[in-house]
Amino acid sequence: MDRHINSEDLDFYALGAIEGEEKQELEAHLRACNACTRELEAAQGRVALLAFAAPSATPSPAVKEGLMRRVRQERAQQMPRPVPSVRRSGWWTPALAAAAVIFAVIASWLWARDQAEVRQIHSLEAQLTAARERSIGILTAQQATGEILGEPETLHVALAQQPDGPPGRAGVLYNPRSGAVVYAGQLPKAPADKSYQLWLVPASGAPLSLGVFSAEEQTTFLTARVPAGLAAKAFAVTVEPKGGEPQPTGPKVLVGAGAT
C-alpha cells in the first residue's frame, strides 16, 4: 500500500471493522507511515467520543424512599422487646445494670449501622451526580464534534505522550473559523495536589487555557471556545497545581502540532 489510507478506512479500523488481509496491509502501512498513524489516532479519538456518549440513567426518587423504608423496617424488627415486670428482689439492681449494658450495646450497634447506611446513600447520591455531570459533558462534546467534524478547515491533532511523562494519548478537533475545540484523551489520574491543564499554543502570543481536569474517568472529554480565526501552532497538556494556572508552569505530558 503506497498511497495514504483514507479517513473512512481509518474510522472503520478504529471501530474494529476491518479484518483479514486488508487489516494486515493497513497495519503494515501504519508501521511505516507517521502521517497515517497520526490520522489513526484522531480517528480513535472520534470513536472514543461516540463510545462514551451514552447518557447515564438517573433512578427515580422512589429508589431512595424505598431504601429508607427498608432501613426503618429492619430497625423496628431488631429493636429489643420489652421484658415482663418482675417482683423486686435482691438481684434486681445487678440485673437492671446488665440489661442497661446490653441495651446500650444494641443501641450503639443500631446507630452505627444506621450511620453506615446513611453514608452509603450519600455515596450513591454523589455517584449519581458525578455520572449526570459526566453525561452532560459527553453529550456536549458529541454535539460539538458533530458541528465541526465535517468542516474542511477543522484540524485533527493527535497529542503524543512525552518521554518523561505518564502513559497517555489524546486527540483534539479544532475549527479555527468558529474557535471550537473538542478534546478526548486518556491519562492516569492526576496526583491529589495536581491537575492536568489543556492549552492551545497560538502562532503568536501566550498559550490559552482550554480547561482543567484530573482524569477521574477512563476517558476525559473537554470542549472550549477560543477567539475565531486564531491560528493554533500546537496543543499541549501540562501538570499544574490543583485548579490550574494562568500560564503553563509544569511539565508537558501530551503534545501535538497544530497548523503548519
Side-chain angles (χ1 to χ4, degrees):
M1 182 184 292
D2 297 328
R3 58 183 177 82
H4 289 305
I5 305 168
N6 63 55
S7 59
E8 182 178 353
D9 286 343
L10 288 173
D11 287 338
F12 281 124
Y13 180 81
L15 287 168
I18 294 181
E19 299 180 348
E21 293 183 1
E22 185 178 2
K23 179 180 179 181
Q24 294 175 358
E25 292 179 2
L26 190 147
E27 289 175 342
H29 180 82
L30 287 171
R31 285 193 291 270
C33 180
N34 292 333
C36 288
T37 299
R38 289 194 296 270
E39 288 297 324
L40 174 61
E41 292 177 343
Q44 289 170 329
R46 296 194 294 273
V47 170
L49 285 173
L50 297 177
F52 289 90
S56 63
T58 302
S60 66
V63 172
K64 180 178 178 180
E65 176 58 29
L67 179 59
M68 293 303 297
R69 184 167 56 252
R70 189 179 67 184
V71 170
R72 290 192 293 268
Q73 290 173 349
E74 291 182 358
R75 187 190 307 167
Q77 293 171 358
Q78 294 165 355
M79 287 294 290
R81 297 179 178 178
V83 297
S85 60
V86 296
R87 187 161 55 94
R88 291 181 178 272
S89 65
W91 53 267
W92 173 256
T93 300
L96 182 60
V101 171
I102 293 172
F103 178 80
V105 170
I106 293 175
S108 298
W109 177 78
L110 290 174
W111 181 85
R113 177 171 176 173
D114 180 63
Q115 292 300 305
E117 289 172 340
V118 169
R119 287 193 297 271
Q120 183 180 14
I121 291 173
H122 290 167
S123 175
L124 290 173
E125 290 176 338
Q127 292 176 30
L128 288 173
T129 299
R132 188 181 302 112
E133 292 175 351
R134 175 169 169 77
S135 294
I136 293 172
I138 292 174
L139 181 59
T140 301
Q142 183 186 27
Q143 292 172 342
T145 299
E147 292 175 2
I148 65 175
L149 187 58
E151 298 295 328
E153 64 268 31
T154 296
L155 300 177
H156 301 227
V157 182
L159 275 62
Q161 172 186 337
Q162 298 304 288
D164 297 330
R169 59 185 306 169
V172 169
L173 299 179
Y174 174 52
N175 186 284
R177 179 176 57 81
S178 64
V181 182
V182 181
Y183 166 94
Q186 296 178 345
L187 281 168
K189 184 178 178 181
D193 59 341
K194 300 290 184 181
S195 294
Y196 294 118
Q197 194 161 357
L198 176 65
W199 304 91
L200 182 153
V201 182
S204 61
L208 300 179
S209 174
L210 302 178
V212 178
F213 60 97
S214 61
E216 296 283 350
E217 302 292 338
Q218 181 179 5
T219 302
T220 298
F221 301 94
L222 288 179
T223 58
R225 291 275 179 178
V226 299
L230 185 65
K233 183 170 64 176
F235 292 87
V237 175
T238 61
V239 178
E240 304 294 345
K242 191 172 182 65
E245 291 287 334
Q247 287 295 302
T249 62
K252 300 181 182 68
V253 294
L254 296 175
V255 177
T260 57

